[in-house]
Amino acid sequence: MTSVSFLSVEELLEWLRTQDIQTLLVELTERIEADFLRWDSFDKTPRVANHSQFGVIELMPTQDEITYGFKYVNGHPINTKLGKQTVTAFGVLSDVESGYPRFLSEMTYLTALRTAATSAMVAKHLARKDSKHMAMIGAGAQAEFQALAFAAVVGIESFAVTDTDPAAVEKFILNMQPYGFEIVSCLDANSATAGADVITTCTADKRNAIVLEDADVAPGMHINAIGGDCPGKTELELDILNGATVFVEYEPQTRIEGEIQAVDDDFPVTEFHQVLKGQAPGRISDSQITLFDSVGFAIEDFSVLAFIEERVFDTQHVVGLDLVAEPAEAKDLFANIARKGNSNG
Amino acid sequence: MTSVSFLSVEELLEWLRTQDIQTLLVELTERIEADFLRWDSFDKTPRVANHSQFGVIELMPTQDEITYGFKYVNGHPINTKLGKQTVTAFGVLSDVESGYPRFLSEMTYLTALRTAATSAMVAKHLARKDSKHMAMIGAGAQAEFQALAFAAVVGIESFAVTDTDPAAVEKFILNMQPYGFEIVSCLDANSATAGADVITTCTADKRNAIVLEDADVAPGMHINAIGGDCPGKTELELDILNGATVFVEYEPQTRIEGEIQAVDDDFPVTEFHQVLKGQAPGRISDSQITLFDSVGFAIEDFSVLAFIEERVFDTQHVVGLDLVAEPAEAKDLFANIARKGNSNG
């Protein structure tokens, strides 16, 4: 029987609890970087989004020569008021040669991990090399993953955190306690960003908000803008874009979903893989403001799915799922229905 | 715990074996017709296809106000040579309000059922009312489902069948024996189509083939063309299109994938839901040739998934799948990883 390997939420968590999360984030960052370096070997398309008054559900496919992958992900900011996740996700890997799915995994946690790893990978190349202090606007579900990745990959040592929900900041501080970071709780973005080398904006409101003003941005900063990722959902004051050099994942998708939806279609941006490959400049001065207008791209999901598939392969964490029909004769799909005492028989 | 109801291949088969397949196909036809009648309540988009040298993998999403659905489906004609299915599929239904998935099902069998039901639904309205005899070009995995649906819904009593693989025709005849149809095995399309009221073309080659020539088509026939469903994959001689009135599911997708990819973009077609709703004419004379250029549309998959979900709801055929992360606190995704003896703790 062809069976699809299934990694459930609980089994992924069991596996994650055996890992050093920062080591894992470093390895995942390397994996995503390796995949970005072979950018041209992937099929790329903007994700397919179905919007409603409640939120959005998206499908994000990509493939290389060997493996196809897609992620299902929703974005429903109202969910947290109902005790549900804003973002949940699952994903599938398939063999390109047969088209058969082979791996199904939860991706709510994997999305948090790959988003943090991607942010850190980009900041490692774009932030000033002496960056030590990060401001965090938004202390929601993604915050700890971002902090751990930036500490492990970029060398960030201290965090200034603010959130409209004080309980979220308390949660962040509690969760980060074992790691020994210096963490300051701030009343607003203005106080959080004072003296920061890097600013991460990660809020969940599905609307055009301004969580970061141009006045809060100083020369030399790197801005990691990950919360504006949907049409009508942005986080930055427009002037920030005009004063910064803007880097994106996949331009056709970011034009629809990113902070740059607020500016003209000819607003200059650089796809980050070009920086990695030496085809475009990254940061060129210590006073330049670099901005990663991140929306999350299918290749990042592909990377983390393939990474996890390898890690849990042949362990007790995966079980076989009977998802692919395999009649004894390929052309005889019908026989399986009819030949066991069908009332017509 | 939020759990996703999972219907496996074997459990679907177990359930199908308890059903009268023709009754099921009639009910499914009614369900799809009801959904086509409320066409405007669905979000519609051409499916997202990733092509390779081996085949294609597609994602087909749609949603109404309450429910989101998508199907994953591959098309790999070379698979049958390796004992695998040309087409395998699975699908998911989700709540639009929360974005949470709620139902995961195999869809290889469900796709065969919904394709047959859709073909029969359209033919019921477009074929001559006195249609009794169907020619079938191609006797592959879909053939029995098509025959049963056309018998039950359209009133077809006899079939003339041809396939480049004689074993496929033998398989079809064997599988259909219990139903008492008159079935003739034919050497080629020309002999199979003689005297037919309806012609169904359903072959799997992924190329521009001609499995039906204009000379085989007579006035008054209805052509159910379901095998041409991919860029570069068509079945009909071009002249057939020019002599017929062409009906499609969703025009933007069929322009890319259907028989009409071979003609200009202004070639006139009618979306079939308009016929159902009385907004466009269907068949207007007994000598007219009607052609359903079918490629398979997301709403049909939505219909069959919702139909099956209702039928197996709360039965022993479905099991809960741990696919959606639910931390105790919605904003505290990280706690589940860290608070059970993480080595950093």
Side-chain angles (χ1 to χ4, degrees), chain B residues 202-327:
Chain B
C202 186
T203 60
D205 262 4
K206 195 187 175 183
R207 59 188 174 92
N208 293 311
I210 295 182
V211 305
L212 185 66
E213 295 179 0
D214 190 42
D216 299 330
V217 178
M221 283 182 176
H222 173 70
I223 305 170
N224 173 44
I226 61 177
D229 62 354
C230 211
K233 181 175 186 307
T234 56
E235 293 183 318
L236 308 184
E237 189 178 14
L238 193 57
D239 286 347
I240 296 175
L241 295 181
N242 293 318
T245 309
V246 178
F247 300 83
V248 301
E249 288 141 317
Y250 177 60
E251 185 177 339
Q253 181 175 310
T254 312
R255 292 276 176 207
I256 301 167
E257 302 177 354
E259 297 294 334
I260 58 170
Q261 66 185 271
V263 295
D264 289 342
D265 281 351
D266 59 356
F267 182 93
V269 300
T270 302
E271 288 190 348
F272 179 73
H273 67 95
Q274 295 186 294
V275 177
L276 273 184
K277 293 186 289 187
Q279 295 169 348
R283 171 175 291 278
I284 54 175
S285 86
D286 278 354
S287 62
Q288 186 184 19
I289 295 164
T290 52
L291 167 57
F292 178 38
D293 183 4
S294 176
V295 295
F297 186 54
I299 293 176
E300 298 150 24
D301 299 307
F302 181 99
S303 302
V304 71
L305 264 180
F307 176 85
I308 292 292
E309 183 193 33
E310 287 171 19
R311 292 301 184 92
V312 299
F313 182 76
D314 240 0
T315 70
Q316 79 288 1
H317 293 292
V318 292
V319 295
L321 218 57
D322 173 29
L323 192 58
V324 178
E326 280 220 310

